[in-house]
Amino acid sequence: MGCFFDCLMCPCVAWVAAFGVGIYFLREYMQGGKFKKYTNETGKVVIVTGSNTGIGKETVLELARRNATIYMACRDKKRAEQAMKEIVQETNNKSIFVRELDLASLDSIRKFVDDFKKEQDKLHILINNAGVMRCPHMLTKNGFEMQLGVNHMGHFLLTNLLLDLLKKTAPSRIVNVSSLFHTCGAINIDDLNSEKSYDEGNAYSQSKLANVLFTRELAKRLEGTGVTVNALHPGAVDTELGRHMKILNNLFGRLVLKTLLWPFMKTPKNGAQTTLYAALDPDLDNVTGMYFSDCALKPVAPAAMDDKTGKFLWEESEKWTHSKY
Ligand SMILES: *[C@@H]1O[C@H](CO)[C@@H](O)[C@H](O)[C@H]1NC(C)=O
Ligand SMILES: *[C@@H]1O[C@H](CO)[C@@H](O)[C@H](O)[C@H]1NC(C)=O
Ligand SMILES: *[C@@H]1O[C@H](CO)[C@@H](O)[C@H](O)[C@H]1NC(C)=O
Ligand SMILES: *[C@@H]1O[C@H](CO)[C@@H](O)[C@H](O)[C@H]1NC(C)=O
Ligand SMILES: CC(=O)N[C@H]1CO[C@H](CO)[C@@H](O)[C@@H]1O
């Protein structure tokens, strides 16, 4: 009887072990490319938006190790200061500053830029990292649908207001953290602000497609200035971005879905690698208007190549944010 039981269990244990090892390697594989080149960023000034947690925080940490001067532009000043303290402690780099920036408010963006320009006359790298994902229907202080408002319009104004400084400091770089989800997006020309109907997924994809369209439009406008602008997909990262995804927030979601998705999710540290690559790799000095994923060049969706929509969006964004490039 014992023997029968042993024989039954053996293959079972082996099978479970093999499965575990398989899952482990699958997760390793899904972590994606890493940016390993040594660079020395002493004297470089960098702004990272939305950097109190997740990919943004990991990006700041690595930049701090490379000795850059970093401005963490965050809405939640308290949490940002906590993150800053941890990073200072870990790297011994004391040139890290927290400044308040609410991308859902055009006034806050203008104030942030005014104050920044009083402190610094250089800007080498702007990392547009902040984002909201699939939130319920909400409006920004200026009445923009939240996802388009923060992911796109807010960064549009921020970038435009900092362009003079970036040009003066050239060679300099703008890095836009977009998402693979731009491939499912469409720009709703008749209802850009989702006033007639709202779907959280579509609004998210639209805002991310807008990022990629803008990156290409801006690259054209910046030709010959020494300022490059590129967009990227960080990968599926297990960060707080999903906090509005109802499916991940109930008990079932937490226990079952997160476990099932775990092998496919990058850690925030690995999610930051493509951002670091786009911001720092010397090989990309002259590369602009491109899209990266897993530390490599990737093609964008056909919808992101549509220059006519890009131009339409640019003009709308100038109107909405009362800014002219
Ligand atoms: C980095 O660059 C700075 C200034 O360019 C220099 O003073 C410093 O020694 C460099 N650091 C290393 C580790 O090479
Ligand atoms: C970091 O920067 C400081 C000055 O800002 C410089 O004295 C120091 O050598 C740099 N460290 C490294 C490792 O490059
Ligand atoms: C990317 O850059 C463009 C160009 O300025 C900007 O309008 C867009 O909102 C940016 N996207 C993100 C996520 O920062
Ligand atoms: C970028 O362009 C400049 C000027 O044309 C050139 O000197 C430099 O070698 C180029 N850098 C790279 C990495 O291709
Ligand atoms: C200016 C500054 O505090 N730089 C520090 C940043 O981090 C590096 C590496 O950890 C330190 O060597 C620098 O002194």
Side-chain angles (χ1 to χ4, degrees):
M1 197 57 196
C3 171
F4 176 73
F5 193 68
D6 283 352
C7 296
L8 196 72
M9 283 312 283
C10 265
C12 183
V13 168
W15 195 81
V16 167
F19 184 71
V21 170
I23 291 285
Y24 173 79
F25 280 107
L26 178 61
R27 173 146 165 118
E28 280 301 294
Y29 174 75
M30 294 310 290
Q31 296 306 304
K34 295 202 175 46
F35 180 66
K36 291 197 191 115
K37 270 186 205 168
Y38 168 80
T39 67
N40 177 357
E41 305 299 324
T42 303
K44 296 259 184 84
V45 181
V46 187
I47 295 176
V48 187
T49 68
S51 42
N52 60 7
T53 174
I55 299 178
K57 184 177 168 191
E58 291 294 337
T59 304
V60 174
L61 177 62
E62 190 54 39
L63 288 166
R65 285 199 184 110
R66 293 165 189 252
N67 219 9
T69 297
I70 307 150
Y71 283 78
M72 299 171 70
C74 302
R75 192 187 47 176
D76 189 337
K77 218 171 158 200
K78 248 198 180 139
R79 286 182 67 193
E81 263 156 13
Q82 184 55 41
M84 183 266 280
K85 276 186 203 136
E86 286 169 32
I87 293 168
V88 169
Q89 219 166 31
E90 189 161 339
T91 64
N92 214 11
N93 183 332
K94 292 180 189 67
S95 313
I96 309 172
F97 309 100
V98 170
R99 296 290 178 265
E100 200 171 326
L101 170 66
D102 180 3
L103 286 154
S105 155
L106 299 181
D107 285 341
S108 169
I109 297 166
R110 290 184 189 279
K111 181 167 185 322
F112 169 84
V113 173
D114 284 346
D115 292 349
F116 180 80
K117 285 178 177 171
K118 279 179 207 144
E119 281 183 76
Q120 290 287 344
D121 56 0
K122 287 194 203 80
L123 177 59
H124 297 86
I125 306 172
L126 168 63
I127 301 181
N128 289 321
N129 168 78
V132 280
M133 183 178 184
R134 300 182 69 108
C135 60
H137 192 240
M138 296 190 272
L139 297 179
T140 69
K141 296 213 168 66
N142 306 87
F144 310 154
E145 182 276 308
M146 190 59 80
Q147 303 191 70
L148 188 70
V150 169
N151 297 351
H152 171 65
M153 294 295 172
H155 282 113
F156 174 82
L157 180 62
L158 178 70
T159 307
N160 275 359
L161 293 176
L162 289 167
L163 275 183
D164 52 349
L165 213 51
L166 284 157
K167 282 187 201 162
K168 213 174 90 184
T169 320
S172 55
R173 299 184 185 193
I174 303 166
V175 177
N176 261 338
V177 182
S178 180
S179 160
L180 182 65
F181 287 106
H182 84 271
T183 50
C184 347
I187 300 296
N188 191 346
I189 292 187
D190 300 321
D191 190 20
L192 198 57
N193 205 28
S194 306
E195 275 155 19
K196 291 176 197 152
S197 72
Y198 179 74
D199 175 90
E200 57 205 33
N202 290 346
Y204 178 69
S205 300
Q206 166 172 274
S207 74
K208 290 291 143 182
L209 175 58
N211 292 157
V212 182
L213 278 167
F214 262 90
T215 299
R216 297 187 59 248
E217 179 73 27
L218 184 64
K220 266 188 259 162
R221 290 171 188 243
L222 288 175
E223 225 167 85
T225 62
V227 185
T228 65
V229 52
N230 292 294
L232 63 92
H233 170 57
V237 180
D238 188 9
T239 66
E240 294 181 9
L241 217 87
R243 68 179 156 243
H244 287 299
M245 295 180 80
K246 278 185 223 93
I247 194 159
L248 289 180
N249 283 326
N250 61 32
L251 194 67
F252 171 78
R254 271 203 303 275
L255 289 180
V256 180
L257 271 182
K258 278 202 170 167
T259 309
L260 286 178
L261 288 176
W262 181 80
F264 302 97
M265 291 292 209
K266 287 187 184 182
T267 60
K269 182 174 182 207
N270 289 325
Q273 299 303 312
T274 306
T275 302
L276 293 163
Y277 163 74
L280 304 179
D281 196 317
D283 286 352
L284 301 179
D285 274 350
N286 303 323
V287 174
T288 188
M290 295 297 159
Y291 175 74
F292 309 116
S293 169
D294 277 336
C295 296
L297 207 64
K298 292 282 154 66
V300 296
M305 304 284 284
D306 180 353
D307 293 341
K308 234 178 86 198
T309 311
K311 226 164 156 249
F312 161 81
L313 201 59
W314 188 280
E315 282 158 11
E316 282 300 303
S317 310
E318 281 185 339
K319 271 190 243 159
W320 287 28
T321 60
H322 314 289
S323 69
K324 192 115 193 103
Y325 168 61

mmCIF file of all heavy atoms in Angstrom, residues 38-43 66-67, ligand 1:
data_model
loop_
_atom_site.group_PDB
_atom_site.id
_atom_site.type_symbol
_atom_site.label_atom_id
_atom_site.label_comp_id
_atom_site.label_asym_id
_atom_site.label_seq_id
_atom_site.Cartn_x
_atom_site.Cartn_y
_atom_site.Cartn_z
ATOM 1 N N TYR A 38 27.463 51.846 -17.874
ATOM 2 C CA TYR A 38 27.892 52.819 -16.877
ATOM 3 C C TYR A 38 27.815 54.224 -17.482
ATOM 4 O O TYR A 38 28.298 54.464 -18.572
ATOM 5 C CB TYR A 38 29.337 52.518 -16.434
ATOM 6 C CG TYR A 38 29.916 53.652 -15.629
ATOM 7 C CD1 TYR A 38 29.596 53.793 -14.281
ATOM 8 C CD2 TYR A 38 30.739 54.600 -16.232
ATOM 9 C CE1 TYR A 38 30.085 54.849 -13.552
ATOM 10 C CE2 TYR A 38 31.237 55.666 -15.500
ATOM 11 C CZ TYR A 38 30.908 55.789 -14.165
ATOM 12 O OH TYR A 38 31.381 56.840 -13.434
ATOM 13 N N THR A 39 27.182 55.143 -16.783
ATOM 14 C CA THR A 39 27.237 56.549 -17.195
ATOM 15 C C THR A 39 27.438 57.395 -15.942
ATOM 16 O O THR A 39 27.064 56.984 -14.845
ATOM 17 C CB THR A 39 25.938 57.032 -17.895
ATOM 18 O OG1 THR A 39 24.872 57.033 -16.937
ATOM 19 C CG2 THR A 39 25.571 56.163 -19.078
ATOM 20 N N ASN A 40 28.015 58.550 -16.118
ATOM 21 C CA ASN A 40 28.265 59.466 -15.011
ATOM 22 C C ASN A 40 27.429 60.726 -15.248
ATOM 23 O O ASN A 40 27.671 61.470 -16.174
ATOM 24 C CB ASN A 40 29.779 59.786 -15.003
ATOM 25 C CG ASN A 40 30.145 60.792 -13.928
ATOM 26 O OD1 ASN A 40 29.298 61.311 -13.207
ATOM 27 N ND2 ASN A 40 31.438 61.090 -13.833
ATOM 28 N N GLU A 41 26.431 60.924 -14.429
ATOM 29 C CA GLU A 41 25.487 62.031 -14.659
ATOM 30 C C GLU A 41 25.779 63.230 -13.757
ATOM 31 O O GLU A 41 24.893 64.060 -13.518
ATOM 32 C CB GLU A 41 24.049 61.542 -14.451
ATOM 33 C CG GLU A 41 23.655 60.331 -15.287
ATOM 34 C CD GLU A 41 23.748 60.581 -16.791
ATOM 35 O OE1 GLU A 41 23.453 61.710 -17.225
ATOM 36 O OE2 GLU A 41 24.147 59.659 -17.524
ATOM 37 N N THR A 42 26.977 63.327 -13.273
ATOM 38 C CA THR A 42 27.353 64.470 -12.420
ATOM 39 C C THR A 42 27.078 65.787 -13.162
ATOM 40 O O THR A 42 27.434 65.937 -14.319
ATOM 41 C CB THR A 42 28.853 64.407 -12.060
ATOM 42 O OG1 THR A 42 29.109 63.159 -11.415
ATOM 43 C CG2 THR A 42 29.236 65.539 -11.128
ATOM 44 N N GLY A 43 26.407 66.698 -12.476
ATOM 45 C CA GLY A 43 26.139 68.002 -13.082
ATOM 46 C C GLY A 43 24.904 68.044 -13.961
ATOM 47 O O GLY A 43 24.482 69.103 -14.414
ATOM 48 N N ARG A 66 23.836 57.524 -10.098
ATOM 49 C CA ARG A 66 24.720 58.027 -11.149
ATOM 50 C C ARG A 66 25.031 59.514 -10.953
ATOM 51 O O ARG A 66 25.491 60.181 -11.852
ATOM 52 C CB ARG A 66 24.084 57.766 -12.518
ATOM 53 C CG ARG A 66 24.016 56.279 -12.832
ATOM 54 C CD ARG A 66 23.075 55.977 -13.978
ATOM 55 N NE ARG A 66 22.867 54.541 -14.120
ATOM 56 C CZ ARG A 66 23.364 53.814 -15.116
ATOM 57 N NH1 ARG A 66 24.069 54.381 -16.058
ATOM 58 N NH2 ARG A 66 23.127 52.528 -15.173
ATOM 59 N N ASN A 67 24.673 60.013 -9.778
ATOM 60 C CA ASN A 67 25.112 61.342 -9.338
ATOM 61 C C ASN A 67 24.390 62.520 -10.001
ATOM 62 O O ASN A 67 24.914 63.627 -10.025
ATOM 63 C CB ASN A 67 26.631 61.472 -9.552
ATOM 64 C CG ASN A 67 27.278 62.229 -8.414
ATOM 65 O OD1 ASN A 67 26.643 62.512 -7.394
ATOM 66 N ND2 ASN A 67 28.541 62.592 -8.584
HETATM 67 C C1 LIG B 1 31.999 62.077 -12.944
HETATM 68 O O1 LIG B 1 32.105 63.315 -13.578
HETATM 69 C C2 LIG B 1 32.539 64.349 -12.710
HETATM 70 C C3 LIG B 1 32.500 65.678 -13.453
HETATM 71 O O2 LIG B 1 32.440 65.523 -14.796
HETATM 72 C C4 LIG B 1 33.911 64.032 -12.175
HETATM 73 O O3 LIG B 1 34.335 65.072 -11.300
HETATM 74 C C5 LIG B 1 33.855 62.724 -11.418
HETATM 75 O O4 LIG B 1 35.116 62.348 -10.974
HETATM 76 C C6 LIG B 1 33.292 61.627 -12.317
HETATM 77 N N1 LIG B 1 33.096 60.458 -11.510
HETATM 78 C C7 LIG B 1 33.670 59.292 -11.779
HETATM 79 C C8 LIG B 1 33.380 58.167 -10.851
HETATM 80 O O5 LIG B 1 34.363 59.130 -12.760
#
